[in-house]
Amino acid sequence: MELSLATRTVGEHTVLEVGGEVDVYTAPRLRERLLELIDGGARRVVVDLGRVDFLDSTGLGVLVGALKRLRSAGGSFALVCDKEPLLKIFRITALDQVFPLHPTVDAAINADPTGAGA
Amino acid sequence: MMATVKLSFSPAPVHVRTARLVGVAVARRAGVREDLLDEVRLAIGEACTRAVALHRQYGLPDPVYVEMSDSGAYTVRVVDRAPIEASIGLAALPPDELAKESLSEDALTTGVGFALLAGFVEDLQVRPVDEGVGTEVRMVWPAGRA
């Protein structure tokens, strides 16, 4: 399945729902969308990986890029993921210690240390 | 009967998905355990992504070569033609390195790609090709056709 991207707003958070395959071919589109959101003023971003069925190193690189960009802009960035195969990818690469990972969008928003949750 | 499937593709990102799909189809046919197929898919993707990136980095139009065979185990070889010192080289990056501002996205992706290959493939070799210039990434998974 190709990459799908959908954005919605929950309070002060921008939630980007990603679906399909994030790989070396599709990751540039994910990067563009994240940059558009951040350049457009989004500072509290949650990326929901719930419908992702493939994620490779290129996709992970894009997510880390967004995390760094938001962090240096004083914003927050969190991921939603509850699929074991994807979680294993985060553990193996030690990126589970870099990203705030949450099982649901609500959990990600409520845990946001920059506030505006709940 | 032993089966070999060979695939060569121009070094473009769009073809990496094709290589993954073929690699998993042949793995399934070879009798690789169902619960390993996600890892097979990811590892073949990472090896091909690495090869495509190297060919583009060095401006090489040559195709990336992938060979899958099921002689006993399921063996996948991904061969690039880039003039670099071949080795696993990069160890997994520690978390504090990963989040550093100074680490470029390309460097991070390369490091993470190797971490995934090393983490998901128990039997992994990265070595210079026997003839000419380039690197072979060789991955082996247990297979047993019923």
Side-chain angles (χ1 to χ4, degrees), chain A residues 43-104:
Chain A
R43 287 295 172 270
R44 298 187 169 107
V45 176
V46 174
V47 173
D48 183 356
L49 301 173
R51 294 204 185 101
V52 167
D53 43 42
F54 185 82
L55 177 65
D56 78 355
S57 56
T58 330
L60 291 167
V62 168
L63 295 174
V64 174
L67 170 85
K68 288 180 184 171
R69 196 170 275 260
L70 278 163
R71 209 180 257 173
S72 62
S76 69
F77 184 79
L79 297 177
V80 174
C81 176
D82 65 348
K83 285 186 187 168
E84 179 46 35
L86 283 188
L87 290 171
K88 188 170 179 187
I89 288 171
F90 285 100
R91 283 198 303 273
I92 280 180
T93 54
L95 287 171
D96 60 339
Q97 295 164 61
V98 172
F99 290 113
L101 279 160
H102 301 281
T104 63

Side-chain angles (χ1 to χ4, degrees), chain B:
Chain B
M1 195 181 82
M2 182 182 123
T4 304
V5 174
K6 296 174 184 175
L7 175 73
S8 62
F9 62 91
S10 345
V14 67
H15 300 313
V16 170
R17 179 167 190 263
T18 306
R20 287 200 305 267
L21 292 174
V22 173
V24 168
V26 179
R28 186 172 276 132
R29 174 85 196 105
V32 173
R33 263 184 14 236
E34 201 66 26
D35 62 319
L36 288 177
L37 293 180
D38 269 349
E39 307 189 359
V40 170
R41 179 165 74 139
L42 185 67
I44 293 175
E46 290 300 334
C48 290
T49 296
R50 173 188 172 279
V52 167
L54 284 169
H55 278 220
R56 290 166 84 85
Q57 189 182 328
Y58 287 93
L60 304 169
D62 316 51
V64 172
Y65 177 76
V66 185
E67 185 184 287
M68 296 148 267
S69 65
D70 69 347
S71 50
Y74 179 52
T75 304
V76 180
R77 294 169 57 225
V78 177
V79 178
D80 68 69
R81 291 294 167 194
I84 58 158
E85 286 277 325
S87 79
I88 288 271
L90 270 158
L93 294 162
D96 51 338
E97 281 293 312
L98 291 167
K100 256 191 195 154
E101 284 303 320
S102 53
L103 187 68
S104 75
E105 191 179 309
D106 279 352
L108 178 119
T109 300
T110 305
V112 165
F114 266 113
L116 289 173
L117 273 177
F120 278 121
V121 189
E122 252 174 63
D123 189 345
L124 172 73
Q125 286 178 35
V126 181
R127 61 184 186 195
V129 292
D130 291 336
E131 279 176 35
V133 177
T135 304
E136 170 185 314
V137 176
R138 187 171 174 276
M139 303 168 276
V140 184
W141 287 275
R145 205 165 21 214

